[in-house]
Amino acid sequence: MISKVAIIILNWNGWEDTIECLESIYQIAYPLYDIILVDNGSKDNSIQKIKDYAEGKIKVESQFFDYSPDNKPLYLKEFTKNELDSSVSIKKSIDSLAPNKNLIIIKNDNNYGFAEGNNIGIRFALNNLNPDYILLLNNDTVVDPYFLKELITVAESDSLIGILGPTVYEYKSPQVIQSAGAKIYWNKGEVINLTPNENKYSDEPENVDSVIGCALLAKSELFHKIGYLNKDYFAYLEETEWCVRVSKASYKIVYVPKGKIWHKGGATSNKITGFTLFHHTRNKFWFMKKHSSKKQYISYLIYFFGFRAWMIIGGIFYRQKNKEILPSLISFLKGIRDGILT
């Protein structure tokens, strides 16, 4: 029996990236999936542009694939967040959709962040589509035709595997590995993306501490047992925090080398000065307070205030434009304050 996958893609003012991602998915060699596009209150006419793509009115150009008009038009269903929160029956209205050729759009009234934006899509999938797996996929990615098949094959080889991630390559340098899973260095509070050298590269799946959130496949049962992404994080480290919760529940986190995607990175967060600095800094304190031991947390504080903070401040002055230095510093300091005090 073929496992069913619900693919959740979050869009916020990034329709050009999103339709390239969508086109790559509609060309994958996997027979049973639904795509749920969650729009986080975009103001750039994203919804209409994505609908135009679904109708075959926009031809997508990419270095990774040739555009195919054969899978258009897509079967399209739209829902607002208010409709999902109401008692309106949704399930019957999507029963007629054809697998692999449908697009479900959820229109949020506001930007709920990466964590809650994905949670909205996950809840919809679990309540209405009955998937065996949930795939969280960033809109600024392009996928290999066989990536999902590789992930599912490994997932079904071991009932204790809960989360899987592919090899993530750089979009602009397609042979460069951005992430091959991640390792958590608890004494420093660092989550480091693993990037194996080619001469050490293996096709065999490996257990890791976490996988990068731009492409995370999870068994649906986990959301019932462990819960959803922590919405308070808004963006950054929410997938790592969730991976740790899953690991504490005795599930394995596995990196699958044969699964391949390409990731642009920062396509959304770079639009707002200080966004990454604030959320990453605050969330790191929250993450360490919740999941590290007392000894590890003290070690982290010493490392952060004795070394890491000064490196970040130096980087702000070195990398940022003059007009962005003060807002970036303020964002960083607010992240420290909120991370420690809340």
Side-chain angles (χ1 to χ4, degrees), residues 58-340:
I58 298 179
K59 181 179 179 180
V60 181
E61 295 184 1
S62 176
Q63 62 179 317
F64 297 97
F65 56 77
D66 293 324
Y67 174 76
S68 173
D70 297 336
N71 55 18
K72 315 295 184 307
L74 302 171
Y75 297 95
L76 189 67
K77 284 287 183 179
E78 296 179 70
F79 303 99
T80 65
K81 184 176 182 296
N82 289 336
E83 287 176 325
L84 301 187
D85 293 340
S86 71
S87 58
V88 175
S89 176
I90 301 294
K91 196 173 190 308
K92 288 184 179 180
S93 69
I94 60 176
D95 284 343
S96 61
L97 292 176
N100 307 8
K101 203 177 178 183
N102 66 66
L103 179 60
I104 299 167
I105 298 178
I106 298 175
K107 298 178 288 187
N108 288 341
D109 51 346
N110 292 302
N111 185 354
Y112 290 91
F114 181 87
E116 185 60 12
N118 273 301
N119 286 343
I120 290 167
I122 294 166
R123 281 193 289 270
F124 178 92
L126 296 179
N127 292 336
N128 299 285
L129 300 173
N130 195 32
D132 300 292
Y133 295 89
I134 298 285
L135 173 68
L136 305 184
L137 188 67
N138 274 22
N139 72 316
D140 62 343
T141 61
V142 175
V143 304
D144 178 81
Y146 298 96
F147 94 106
L148 187 54
K149 181 179 179 180
E150 296 290 350
L151 293 178
I152 295 295
T153 298
V154 175
E156 300 192 337
S157 69
D158 185 345
S159 62
L160 293 179
I161 295 176
I163 295 175
L164 306 95
T167 303
V168 181
Y169 291 87
E170 296 280 356
Y171 181 88
K172 292 183 178 179
S173 303
Q175 302 303 315
V176 177
I177 295 176
Q178 185 181 100
S179 177
K183 181 176 177 60
I184 302 171
Y185 292 88
W186 289 100
N187 289 335
K188 293 183 177 180
E190 298 286 3
V191 182
I192 304 298
N193 284 322
L194 303 174
T195 53
N197 295 323
E198 287 301 323
N199 60 344
K200 296 181 180 179
Y201 187 80
S202 170
D203 282 342
E204 293 302 313
E206 297 180 21
N207 291 344
V208 291
D209 294 336
S210 177
V211 298
I212 189 170
C214 69
L216 183 155
L217 181 73
K219 290 181 177 175
S220 294
E221 66 190 62
L222 297 181
F223 297 99
H224 299 294
K225 294 180 180 180
I226 284 82
Y228 292 75
L229 300 174
N230 189 329
K231 67 179 181 180
D232 292 335
Y233 277 48
F234 196 83
Y236 293 105
L237 286 175
E238 63 282 287
E239 80 275 20
T240 302
E241 195 273 339
W242 196 66
C243 282
V244 170
R245 279 191 276 148
V246 169
S247 182
K248 286 181 176 180
S250 299
Y251 286 91
K252 298 176 184 178
I253 317 296
V254 175
Y255 154 61
V256 182
K258 289 184 178 180
K260 299 178 181 180
I261 72 162
W262 291 266
H263 181 219
K264 296 171 186 176
T268 296
S269 59
N270 288 343
K271 297 172 184 175
I272 307 174
T273 300
F275 180 91
T276 300
L277 271 173
F278 171 76
H279 288 91
H280 196 276
T281 302
R282 181 198 64 181
N283 295 353
K284 183 68 69 66
F285 280 100
W286 286 356
F287 173 75
M288 292 299 292
K289 284 193 292 186
K290 181 176 179 62
H291 292 293
S292 68
S293 67
K294 183 176 180 180
K295 183 178 179 180
Q296 288 169 339
Y297 185 61
I298 292 172
S299 175
Y300 165 65
L301 292 177
I302 294 171
Y303 168 77
F304 181 83
F305 288 107
F307 174 74
R308 185 62 181 167
W310 302 105
M311 289 290 292
I312 293 172
I313 292 171
I316 290 172
F317 280 95
Y318 180 75
R319 295 188 184 92
Q320 302 286 26
K321 299 175 182 178
N322 288 337
K323 65 179 180 179
E324 296 176 350
I325 288 175
L326 184 58
S328 295
L329 279 173
I330 292 173
S331 295
F332 179 53
L333 295 174
K334 283 183 177 178
I336 295 173
R337 179 199 65 190
D338 290 2
I340 293 175

